Amino acid sequence: MKRKVSDGQEGMVQMVFANLDMESEIEEFTHIMLLKEDNDGDRSWKYHLERFIHFLKEIGGENGTFFNEDQINRYIDELQSKEKDSLYIKEVLDGIVAFSQYKRIPLDKEKLKIPVTNENEKFLLIDEEEDLYRTEKELFNKLMELSSQLSLHEVPPLSALSKTGSYIQFRNIFKEYVLFRIVVETGLDETELHEMNLESFYKMNGEIIINQKKVPLTPNTNHVCSAYVSFREKFDETIFIQKKLFDVDTTGISLDELLEEEQMMTFFECDLTSKVEKIESLLLEQVNIEEEIALLEEDTEEEKIEDLEEKADDIAEQIMNMKMLVALDRKISEYEFNNGMFVTDRYTRMTENDILEALERTSFPIHKLQNTAIKKWTEAGIKRNQIEKLIRNKSVGLFSRNKLEVNVDEFKQLVHAGFQFETRDFTFPTKSH
């Protein structure tokens, strides 16, 4: 018997689906905006919009499917009543207007209560601390979701690399997660992050050393960095090979399928001299067959000719496949481990600009993270002159005058007074020596 759904239940179901649709729409909008370079958006917009849509529901709006100037102005009044500063409100408003354009909702900006801002009145912050914790959780969950598609307990064989998930995508997310954690907890800037090497991280001491400046980490972030370094050491070569599998020009059979054939795998494992000798031997055999075919054509022995032509085709295919494997072997031989802490898809050390763009795209601009951390430290009672000695921050004019003067105990006090994220469990194996 089919169960009858009441009007109230049906309305509740519709509301749940409307909320899910709106969440995914905001997520998609944020993703698109973060990829664009001609706007000032960051992940703050996602959280601003979610709070705005929640406000619309409270005042009887339409779950964000449509909104007007009056509702936006009421929200601005609400933010002002909570003593939000004009820069914050302007940022919220920019996000709402951009979202309205994305949804093709007509708005007359002249009717909006756009606050007058003074760029010097306050540096941009992540106003709601919960947004930092949500971002950390989202990045971690994305990392764990990708990990389920990979073999992280052992390096997969060549023949399995195109059948597994993308190790480079996993490394990128891991890198972005580590960047976010380090910046918001230690206040390091893009110059220092660019200079970091894998050996800059000292797991046993729980600290990073950059140009003799010791930067202590919280135990949780120390664990995160340790897992990242272990992954890099174990899988960077795998990532390099996985990319090269797609760089070699192939027709028909893929390289990993080719390597599943015992004969081809045996050939691939030979040294270069042996490979060349094998190909030359096949080329000579191919020439001999073609000469034999030419002689048989004079005697019109069609059956023998067909057999020899088939054999010649097989040899030609073998030679082509072997040449592809030689090309792959040469590309793989170009691998040289990059000890930069943060690397690009091209396997080069990230530039300062690369780091700035990565943080803007995946979490928050670096100056926002630093400013928010400084505010947290100040509220915890740490004096400005102490922060000045430890932190480089262009937006608030803080520069470490002499890196050698940095007091590790003072830095530990700073780090432990800042943001503390929950313990994250990583089961990635450490590199075997």
Side-chain angles (χ1 to χ4, degrees), residues 69 72 180 183 198 263 289 356 401 407 418:
E69 296 88 351
I72 295 173
F180 169 79
V183 174
L198 290 179
Q263 179 186 3
I289 290 174
L356 292 174
R401 291 185 291 273
N407 183 296

Side-chain angles (χ1 to χ4, degrees), residues 36 152 183 362:
K36 290 186 175 182
L152 293 172
V183 174
T362 59

Side-chain angles (χ1 to χ4, degrees), residues 40-104:
D40 296 323
D42 58 53
R43 190 155 291 276
S44 300
W45 279 8
K46 168 183 165 69
Y47 305 132
H48 293 333
L49 285 167
E50 288 175 351
R51 283 188 275 269
F52 174 59
I53 299 304
H54 178 72
F55 172 79
L56 290 181
K57 294 175 190 174
E58 288 186 333
I59 64 172
E62 302 180 54
N63 293 321
T65 55
F66 183 83
F67 47 85
N68 56 37
E69 296 88 351
D70 179 61
Q71 290 167 320
I72 295 173
N73 286 334
R74 288 177 65 181
Y75 188 55
I76 292 172
D77 291 339
E78 172 80 4
L79 294 176
Q80 289 175 332
S81 71
K82 293 179 178 179
E83 298 184 347
K84 299 295 185 183
D85 66 86
S86 57
L87 274 180
Y88 174 82
I89 295 173
K90 176 67 165 52
E91 183 181 61
V92 172
L93 190 54
D94 287 344
I96 293 173
V97 170
F99 189 58
S100 72
Q101 293 170 344
Y102 171 77
K103 287 175 62 66
R104 290 184 167 81

Side-chain angles (χ1 to χ4, degrees), residues 217-232:
L217 301 171
T218 62
N220 288 344
T221 299
N222 182 52
H223 183 56
V224 169
C225 288
S226 178
Y228 171 75
V229 170
S230 294
F231 172 81
R232 284 280 314 279

Side-chain angles (χ1 to χ4, degrees), residues 292-309:
E292 191 175 349
I293 289 172
L295 292 172
L296 288 172
E297 284 177 344
E298 295 176 3
D299 300 330
T300 63
E301 296 187 39
E302 293 182 3
E303 189 173 338
K304 284 186 178 181
I305 290 172
E306 287 178 3
D307 291 341
L308 288 170
E309 284 178 340

